Amino acid sequence: MSSHLSADHPAAQPPGPGSVEALISQTRRLRGDVDAVRRDSQDDTTDPRGRWQRALYDLALHQLSDLDAHLAQLRDGPAPAPRAGSLLSRVGSAEWNLLTDEAEWSAELFQILGRDPASVPLSLDELPSLVLTEDRPKLTAMVTDCLVDGRPIDGEFRVVRPDGSVRTVHMMGEPVLDADGSTASMWAVLRDVGELRRSQRAVSETRDSLRHRPSPPWHGLLRFPDEGRPGLDLAAAHLPPTSATGRRSRYGGWYDACPLGGDGETLLTVGDFGRPEAEGDGPAVLIGALRGLALAGTRPGRLRDRLAELLRATALPPVDGAVYCGYRPDTHTLTWTHASGPVPLLFRGGTGRALSGQDGPSGQAEATLEAGDLLLLHTGTLEPAAVEHLLSLAPRLTATSSAGDGVRLVTWELDEFPGRQDACVLMARVTP
C-alpha cells in the first residue's frame, strides 16, 4: 500500500532497526517470564478461581505473541504471504481510491476474508456484502464518518466467509488527502480478532463465575417493575439447553406479567410456540397481543381462544403450550387455565404440588393463595423428571426471601439437568 499523509498528521519517521530489535527482545523476555509463571502456578482448573487465572495467563501470552509478530513485521518490512493460521495472517491492509473507485488489498486481507487472491478487491460500496446484516449499519456509519467528517475508523464487525464461517474483524483507518486537502482515498488495517475475543470471553466468563460464586448460574434473570402487579414479587428467566442437548429443539418461548383489567389484578403467562416459524419477533408479537387483551379485561379462560383468533390473522403458528393466570391481591384468588401447557406449581410451608383444579364453567380453575406462597410457571420443555426435581426443592424454595432468589435456585438446579431443552420459568411470591 502506498504511503500518504493522513488527514490529521504527517507521516512519522519509522523507528530505527536497533530500537525495534530492543522492543522485540523485551517482548520475548516478558513472554517467557509469563509462560514460566503460568507453568509454575499449577492452577486447579476444576476450580473457578484456577480457571480464571489460567485464562488470564493464556490471554496475556496470546497478546504478547501478537505484539512480537507485529514488531517483527515492522522490523522486516513486507514479506511473502504467511501460512494460514499464523499470527501475521490475521492482519491485512487495504486502500480504496475514491477518484477511480479502485481498491488495493494485501494478500493477508484476502486470506482473512476467505476470498481468492486472484479475485478483484471489493469497493467500499461492495464491502458491506461480506458483513453480517446486523453489523452493516455500524460499518456504514464508520466509513461515512471517516470520508465525510475525517474521523479515524476504529471499530469491529463480523464478516461471513464463503465457507459460512464468521470472523470478527477489527478495522482501523483514516482518510488520505490530496494536495488540495480533499479526501482522495481511505486506507485501513484489518485484523482478525476472533481468537483474541474468545480468550477475553474466557477471562470474563471465569471471572464472573468466580465473582458470583456460590450464586447459581442463572441465565437472563428478569425482575418486573413494582407498578401494575400489587401483592406479588416476580422474577423470570430463560434457561438455554444443556450441553448434552446441544441445540434448541423448540422455539419461541416467552414469559410476561402485566395488569389484567383495571382493578389491580395481574396476568401471569408463560408459553412456547414450539415451531421454528415463531422464532425471532414471534414472542414479542404474541406478548403485545396478550397485553392488549389483558388491558381490555379478557379473563384467563377466554385468553387462549381470543389469542388463537388473533394469531390466525398473522404468519405465526398456533401456541403449542401456555398457561395463563390471573391474580387478585384483595382476595388472594388465583384463576388459571392452560392451552396444552404445564400446570402451575405451588410451594407452601416446605411442600410443593401441581395445581390440579379442573376448568369450571368459565373455562378456568381457581385456587386461594396465602402470603409467602411461591407460584412457579414453566414451559412444557421441562421433562417430567425435571418437574419432579423442582417439587423436591420445596423446603429450600419456600425458605428463600424473594422471587429472584427462588429463580436463581431453580436455574442452578436445572442448569445441567440431563437432556434439558430450552425452557422459560416465571416465579411469583405472594407478599403480605
Side-chain angles (χ1 to χ4, degrees):
M1 183 172 64
S2 57
S3 175
H4 296 272
L5 299 184
S6 75
D8 298 320
H9 53 77
Q13 291 299 317
S19 59
V20 175
E21 193 65 51
L23 290 174
I24 292 174
S25 298
Q26 293 173 17
T27 300
R28 291 176 178 175
R29 282 198 300 269
L30 180 57
R31 184 179 61 185
D33 291 343
V34 172
D35 190 39
V37 172
R38 182 188 65 165
R39 285 187 275 104
D40 292 343
S41 65
Q42 296 181 341
D43 298 316
D44 181 6
T45 56
T46 64
D47 175 75
R49 183 174 183 82
R51 290 195 297 270
W52 172 67
Q53 291 176 337
R54 177 51 60 93
L56 275 177
Y57 282 131
D58 290 344
L59 176 59
L61 288 171
H62 183 99
Q63 292 174 322
L64 287 170
S65 296
D66 273 3
L67 177 59
D68 179 27
H70 300 331
L71 290 173
Q73 188 178 35
L74 183 63
R75 177 195 60 193
D76 301 334
R83 68 184 186 279
S86 72
L87 291 171
L88 294 182
S89 70
R90 295 202 296 267
V91 181
S93 59
E95 183 168 344
W96 290 273
N97 190 310
L98 304 181
L99 303 179
T100 64
D101 203 30
E102 295 178 345
E104 181 181 344
W105 287 9
S106 70
E108 294 83 6
L109 184 55
F110 280 98
Q111 186 171 314
I112 290 172
L113 301 180
R115 297 181 63 82
D116 183 356
S119 63
V120 178
L122 300 184
S123 67
L124 278 177
D125 291 335
E126 297 169 325
L127 187 62
S129 65
L130 304 180
V131 180
L132 280 182
T133 302
E134 53 266 38
D135 288 357
R136 289 176 186 174
K138 182 192 305 182
L139 174 62
T140 300
M142 289 192 299
V143 172
T144 301
D145 289 344
C146 179
L147 299 181
V148 176
D149 300 325
R151 299 179 186 174
I153 289 178
D154 188 356
E156 294 182 6
F157 50 88
R158 292 164 295 174
V159 297
V160 182
R161 292 157 56 96
D163 61 4
S165 62
V166 176
R167 298 291 179 88
T168 300
V169 175
H170 188 173
M171 182 177 184
M172 298 183 68
E174 290 182 343
V176 179
L177 306 182
D178 59 18
D180 298 328
S182 302
T183 302
S185 62
M186 190 187 86
W187 68 267
V189 174
L190 295 94
R191 180 185 181 198
D192 181 352
V193 294
E195 291 187 20
L196 177 61
R197 295 296 172 258
R198 283 191 289 272
S199 296
Q200 290 173 332
R201 282 196 299 271
V203 172
S204 177
E205 291 168 0
T206 53
R207 179 189 62 213
D208 291 343
S209 175
L210 177 64
R211 178 181 299 166
H212 294 296
R213 191 185 181 196
S215 299
W218 47 270
H219 304 277
L221 177 66
L222 172 67
R223 298 300 303 274
F224 290 86
D226 292 336
E227 60 270 17
R229 44 95 173 175
L232 293 176
D233 172 27
L234 299 174
H238 163 248
L239 289 77
T242 59
S243 56
T245 306
R247 58 173 295 178
R248 295 178 62 126
S249 55
R250 294 174 68 89
Y251 302 79
W254 80 85
Y255 48 73
D256 192 39
C258 66
L260 178 56
D263 55 2
E265 191 170 2
T266 298
L267 173 69
L268 310 174
T269 178
V270 170
D272 192 350
F273 283 102
R275 283 169 53 185
E277 298 95 313
E279 200 171 16
D281 295 334
V285 173
L286 183 136
I287 288 175
L290 274 174
R291 290 187 172 185
L293 292 171
L295 289 173
T298 306
R299 306 299 308 155
R302 289 281 299 149
L303 270 175
R304 54 184 175 183
D305 296 332
R306 294 292 305 279
L307 192 61
E309 295 173 6
L310 290 176
L311 291 180
R312 279 196 290 269
T314 72
L316 295 174
V319 171
D320 182 69
V323 57
Y324 312 103
C325 300
Y327 177 70
R328 293 184 62 93
D330 53 349
T331 62
H332 286 190
T333 302
L334 178 77
T335 56
W336 63 277
T337 187
H338 61 112
S340 304
V343 300
L345 306 181
L346 178 62
F347 299 88
R348 174 187 297 167
T351 63
R353 64 183 177 89
L355 293 180
S356 57
Q358 298 298 316
D359 291 353
S362 62
Q364 58 192 22
E366 289 191 0
T368 301
L369 304 184
E370 301 175 359
D373 281 355
L374 286 176
L375 185 73
L376 180 62
L377 310 182
H378 63 88
T379 49
T381 48
L382 290 184
E383 299 293 332
V387 175
E388 287 298 322
H389 182 63
L390 290 180
L391 292 175
S392 72
L393 300 175
R396 296 166 60 189
L397 280 172
T398 53
T400 58
S401 58
S402 68
D405 289 342
V407 168
R408 289 186 180 95
L409 175 59
V410 167
T411 54
W412 172 271
E413 292 291 331
L414 296 181
D415 190 59
E416 290 299 332
F417 203 87
R420 196 203 68 241
Q421 301 173 3
D422 276 330
C424 294
V425 294
L426 185 150
M427 181 164 284
R429 180 174 179 268
V430 181
T431 58

